[in-house]
Amino acid sequence: MLQVLIVGAGRGGSALLQMMGKMEQIRIVAVVDRNANAPGIALAQSYGIETGTDYLPYLNRDVNVILEATGDEEAYNEILRKKPKHTVLIPGTFTSLVMRLIDEREELIGKLTYSQREHEIMLNSTHDAIIAVNAVGNVTIFNRAAERLMGIDANAVLGSKAEDTIPNTRLHIVLENGLPELNQEQELSNKTRIITNRVPVIDEAGQVIGAVAIFRDITEVMALAEEVTDLKELKSMLQAIIQSSDEAISVVDAVGNGLLINPAYTRLTGLTQEDVIGKPATVDISEGESMHMQVLRTKKPVRGVPMKLGLQSRDVIVNVAPVMVDGELKGSVGVIHDISEFKTLTEELEKARRIIRKLEAKYTFEEIIGESEPMKLAIEQAQKAARTPATVLLRGESGTGKELFAHAIHNASKRRYNQFIRVNCAAISETLLESELFGYEEGAFTGAKRGGKRGLFEEASGGTIFLDEIGELSIGMQAKLLRVLQEREIVRVGATKAIPIDVRVIAATHVNLESAIQSGRFREDLYYRLNVVPIHIPPLRQRQEDIKPLSLHLLRKYNLEYGRNVTDISGEAMAELLSYHWPGNVRELENVLGRALIHMKIHETVILVSHLPTLEHKSSIAHPSTQQVSHNKDDRPLKDVLDDAERNHINRVLEQCQGNRTEASKCLGISLRNLYYKMEKLGIDQA
């Protein structure tokens, strides 16, 4: 046995150790490397072989061969000088050669293994059966399809003589004569009929070195031919169906059996393909005669026939037409239209109307800005009120946001998808108010529309009516409104029959109703009907902590309207806003901020004090004529002085509002009707 010493435990030494460690005629004495952590050291230790960092102690152990695997020429020369004469030293070049040969061997084995596996996969994946023999007639290939068709296991025939193990084979004949046999029909021993091609395998020298047979079940070929024919017919039928309609579709064949339905048909009738395909055309009919059968008899289409179809007896209209292919009747196609779709469209239209009605109430509680305790209390009360059908009375000064609360209450209530109608009781003259609120019959008065007219209470039935400035109603109108609230019915002007209504009433006023009751201007019984859920909306001066968030919210709104990019208010400007008493409340704040934006330059993004109007003098601004009166006519009666002051103030507000009397009345905190009265009384030009 050869005694071998390996010097060098790197990659080469490790490879030599792995290769020679398996040879029985070789004993590896030790593996040596100056690096005790070399990979070959650990490998040798795992084999139970001695290891070390110096080769000299091992030279006297009858070592026959030293394998120098360091690749270091000096190390080789040193070992050559010190080794015994009888010991053979093999240099590192030999090790490199061995490594290369090992690598090439492993690579070749890998390629051959992959190629063989790929070859087997390809052969076993094909649907066709394949049998091959070599030059002496031994079976070399027998794939899975051949196993399946012939009922023979491949292991039983591979390597054997084909003519001995494969019944009725002719591969040995093809091998002998070198002639192909193409498209041959044959019956196997298991009675399976096949179509086969047998061809010789010829090398470059023209010698027959084998033969191959490729075959398949003839019944599959015939089925495939029939399938191609059916596909052509089905394609023509489907084209005709697609051209007929894109509604729910039912197709039957020439004898009236179900052939095809589409998903829309299943959704409409509740019948699946298992319920219809192959079944008589009458299977889906709940009521009526089968139009499919009529069309198959007459070869003429029918249209607009009402029927009841499906599990739910759906009302439908059917159109049925014959399907002709090359002049031959192949069946009929029915297009089914669900009449209930009209109901769906009607519901969608009504839904759209409800959405439009909802849009009339524009605001929600999310849009009410308020962090102060009084405002939080008002919002909380309003949210509770929204969950009930109770009448709500909104009280607060002009400009505090009573209408905003009314919108929010409606949008948070169960009536949100129905009408929200706003009525300004002060903006409509008393002679028209009754007919506007309650409607009128034809001929009730001169100019009445033919057929009469529904009043606002009727229009709001199912929804909410918002009666703004309720404190401005006359005593007579108060009595009529009281009856509506008590009886939940209205009587049109000129009519005698009462009309029931379902309306939620939200009223609002800035008038002190208790004082109005004391002075006889407001009915006490109506007050109690309205004051079911009273909500007091605090003035802006009582919720100063809301001024900043309100201002920033309004800035975002005005940025959109004015095409600006104002993002903030300076500390000095905000201090100015906080020190003002805001007699006009939020409406006045809107006015001040809007004017500030107008005074700003286009590139400015922060409101400064210089942009604000002079708020501290706002309440004392007087018309020039007022100043003249105060200096020259101090001895006039008090009534004349008050009239002049009132006249000048109204003129100033009208100028600020550009003649808009409705806006002016809001700024003045009086009703529009009261404004007209004062203008007439004080001789203010109404042109």
Side-chain angles (χ1 to χ4, degrees):
M1 179 177 290
L2 285 176
Q3 305 287 329
V4 178
L5 173 65
I6 299 176
V7 179
R11 182 169 176 269
S14 299
L16 290 172
L17 176 61
Q18 287 178 326
M19 181 179 67
M20 294 184 175
K22 300 175 182 177
M23 298 180 181
E24 295 180 357
Q25 299 82 5
I26 294 176
R27 175 179 175 270
I28 299 174
V29 175
V31 176
V32 178
D33 196 295
R34 292 175 181 175
N35 181 9
N37 296 320
I41 297 296
L43 182 62
Q45 291 172 351
S46 69
Y47 288 166
I49 298 172
E50 280 190 51
T51 61
T53 58
D54 187 3
Y55 64 88
L56 291 176
Y58 298 99
L59 295 181
N60 297 322
R61 293 193 183 183
D62 297 327
V63 173
N64 304 116
V65 178
I66 300 175
L67 293 176
E68 189 275 315
T70 64
D72 186 344
E73 186 175 352
E74 291 183 3
Y76 172 79
N77 292 329
E78 180 183 338
I79 297 171
L80 185 62
R81 289 192 306 269
K82 296 181 179 180
K83 74 177 183 62
K85 291 182 179 181
H86 67 274
T87 302
V88 177
L89 174 62
I90 299 176
T93 53
F94 170 76
T95 305
S96 300
L97 177 61
V98 170
M99 283 299 303
R100 190 179 309 113
L101 291 174
I102 291 173
D103 290 342
E104 289 178 358
R105 173 179 171 274
E106 293 298 326
E107 183 180 356
L108 182 59
I109 292 173
K111 288 182 178 179
L112 288 173
T113 303
Y114 178 80
S115 178
Q116 182 179 3
R117 188 181 301 113
E118 187 179 48
H119 181 244
E120 291 176 355
I121 291 172
M122 291 172 61
L123 287 175
N124 289 322
S125 297
T126 180
H127 187 66
D128 291 333
I130 301 175
I131 301 175
V133 297
N134 58 18
V136 296
N138 293 334
V139 179
T140 57
I141 296 175
F142 197 88
N143 71 351
R144 289 177 185 171
E147 287 182 313
R148 185 178 66 254
L149 285 178
M150 301 194 71
I152 300 174
D153 185 77
N155 295 324
V157 296
L158 287 173
S160 67
K161 286 283 187 182
E163 57 187 309
D164 296 336
T165 55
I166 301 177
N168 301 321
T169 183
R170 290 180 56 84
L171 284 175
H172 61 288
I173 297 174
V174 173
L175 193 64
E176 289 174 3
N177 59 32
L179 299 176
E181 297 179 355
L182 303 177
N183 298 322
Q184 300 295 306
E185 183 177 341
Q186 180 180 341
E187 183 177 287
L188 301 178
S189 58
N190 58 8
K191 305 301 180 183
T192 301
R193 298 201 64 82
I194 62 172
I195 291 293
T196 181
N197 292 314
R198 305 181 188 93
V199 294
V201 179
I202 301 174
D203 64 9
E204 295 178 353
Q207 299 296 316
V208 177
I209 60 172
V212 177
I214 302 175
F215 56 97
R216 67 166 50 187
D217 191 340
I218 194 173
T219 57
E220 293 185 5
V221 176
M222 295 176 63
L224 182 61
E226 292 175 359
E227 185 177 340
V228 170
T229 302
D230 292 343
L231 284 173
K232 289 181 178 178
E233 292 184 0
L234 185 58
K235 179 180 178 181
S236 298
M237 292 179 68
L238 288 175
Q239 288 175 341
I241 291 169
I242 292 171
Q243 292 172 359
S244 299
S245 176
D246 58 357
E247 301 287 343
I249 295 172
S250 167
V251 183
V252 300
D253 59 20
V255 297
N257 291 328
L259 185 63
L260 184 148
I261 60 173
N262 67 348
Y265 175 92
T266 299
R267 289 194 300 270
L268 177 63
T269 64
L271 299 173
T272 64
Q273 290 192 357
E274 290 76 11
D275 300 323
V276 176
I277 304 304
K279 307 293 177 58
T282 56
V283 71
D284 60 354
I285 298 176
S286 301
E287 184 177 317
E289 179 188 356
S290 171
M291 291 298 103
H292 277 306
M293 300 308 298
Q294 179 178 325
V295 167
L296 292 175
R297 287 195 305 269
T298 64
K299 297 184 181 180
K300 294 181 180 179
V302 295
R303 300 188 182 280
V305 179
M307 299 179 66
K308 287 184 180 293
L309 292 185
L311 303 175
Q312 303 298 325
S313 297
R314 300 285 289 271
D315 290 310
V316 298
I317 296 292
V318 299
N319 299 324
V320 184
V323 177
M324 309 296 294
V325 179
D326 297 328
E328 183 181 353
L329 180 67
K330 292 294 183 180
S332 67
V333 55
V335 181
I336 307 159
H337 185 70
D338 188 2
I339 299 176
S340 63
E341 289 185 6
F342 291 111
K343 181 180 178 182
T344 301
L345 291 174
T346 302
E347 291 174 351
E348 290 178 352
L349 179 60
E350 182 60 31
K351 182 178 179 180
R353 286 174 176 168
R354 289 197 300 266
I355 292 173
I356 291 171
R357 290 169 184 163
K358 183 179 185 297
L359 292 177
E360 293 175 359
K362 298 179 289 186
Y363 308 110
T364 63
F365 283 112
E366 286 74 18
E367 295 173 80
I368 299 177
I369 309 299
E371 298 297 329
S372 62
E373 288 304 320
M375 200 62 177
K376 284 183 178 179
L377 177 61
I379 294 173
E380 182 182 352
Q381 290 176 329
Q383 289 173 333
K384 290 180 179 178
R387 296 192 288 268
T388 71
T391 301
V392 176
L393 179 61
L394 301 172
R395 305 187 66 172
E397 297 177 8
S398 179
T400 52
K402 296 186 290 296
E403 183 171 348
L404 188 68
F405 270 79
H407 284 243
I409 291 171
H410 172 77
N411 279 334
S413 71
K414 293 181 179 180
R415 299 172 180 259
R416 65 176 68 91
Y417 295 118
N418 293 315
Q419 284 276 31
F420 176 84
I421 292 180
R422 177 188 181 279
V423 183
N424 189 333
C425 299
I428 305 175
S429 64
E430 187 173 350
T431 54
L432 293 176
L433 187 58
E434 182 178 1
S435 61
E436 286 295 315
L437 288 177
F438 309 130
Y440 56 81
E441 295 291 332
E442 181 177 343
F445 50 82
T446 302
K449 287 184 180 180
R450 179 172 296 181
K453 178 185 175 183
R454 285 158 54 95
L456 296 177
F457 268 98
E458 284 184 76
E459 291 288 343
S461 190
T464 303
I465 190 167
F466 174 45
L467 301 177
D468 198 8
E469 302 294 355
I470 194 75
E472 303 297 331
L473 287 178
S474 66
I475 292 296
M477 279 302 301
Q478 291 178 31
K480 294 174 181 177
L481 177 60
L482 177 62
R483 184 180 183 281
V484 172
L485 295 176
Q486 289 182 160
E487 306 298 332
R488 294 291 173 180
E489 61 184 22
I490 58 101
V491 178
R492 291 183 179 179
V493 176
T496 57
K497 182 181 178 182
I499 301 173
I501 57 168
D502 174 24
V503 178
R504 199 258 182 85
V505 175
I506 301 176
T509 183
H510 70 281
V511 174
N512 187 325
L513 295 182
E514 291 78 10
S515 298
I517 292 171
Q518 293 296 326
S519 61
R521 292 183 289 111
F522 202 83
R523 295 177 61 108
E524 187 174 7
D525 45 6
L526 177 60
Y527 170 79
Y528 290 120
R529 281 288 176 185
L530 294 173
N531 202 42
V532 178
V533 182
I535 299 174
H536 175 71
I537 303 173
L540 194 55
R541 61 182 173 274
Q542 293 181 6
R543 52 185 187 110
Q544 286 197 335
E545 55 265 52
D546 293 338
I547 291 178
K548 184 170 183 178
L550 263 174
S551 300
L552 295 176
H553 173 76
L554 293 172
L555 282 182
R556 289 191 289 271
K557 168 187 170 185
Y558 286 136
N559 280 335
L560 294 174
E561 291 182 6
Y562 295 169
R564 303 296 294 273
N565 188 31
V566 179
T567 59
D568 203 358
I569 302 172
S570 71
E572 295 79 2
M574 182 55 65
E576 188 79 5
L577 296 177
L578 292 173
S579 64
Y580 187 54
H581 63 284
W582 300 108
N585 294 297
V586 180
R587 188 177 293 117
E588 186 178 4
L589 178 61
E590 290 178 337
N591 178 275
V592 168
L593 293 175
R595 290 166 64 186
L597 258 68
I598 292 171
H599 293 150
M600 294 176 69
K601 295 179 180 179
I602 192 67
H603 64 276
E604 293 179 315
T605 60
V606 178
I607 294 179
L608 306 176
V609 175
S610 59
H611 299 138
L612 298 174
T614 52
L615 300 177
E616 62 273 23
H617 300 300
K618 183 174 178 66
S619 60
S620 61
I621 294 176
H623 195 274
S625 60
T626 305
Q627 296 175 357
Q628 183 179 2
V629 169
S630 62
H631 287 297
N632 301 330
K633 297 187 178 181
D634 291 343
D635 56 344
R636 292 178 303 149
L638 179 60
K639 181 179 180 304
D640 293 343
V641 174
L642 292 175
D643 285 347
D644 281 342
E646 192 171 15
R647 182 187 302 107
N648 293 328
H649 188 61
I650 291 173
N651 274 324
R652 180 181 63 80
V653 173
L654 284 169
E655 288 175 6
Q656 290 179 352
C657 297
Q658 298 179 346
N660 187 323
R661 292 172 177 77
T662 301
E663 187 65 27
S665 67
K666 292 179 180 179
C667 291
L668 291 167
I670 62 176
S671 67
L672 183 61
R673 185 169 59 187
N674 198 4
L675 175 61
Y676 277 108
Y677 167 75
K678 289 182 179 294
M679 290 173 66
E680 182 179 358
K681 172 188 172 185
L682 299 171
I684 298 173
D685 185 10
Q686 300 184 31

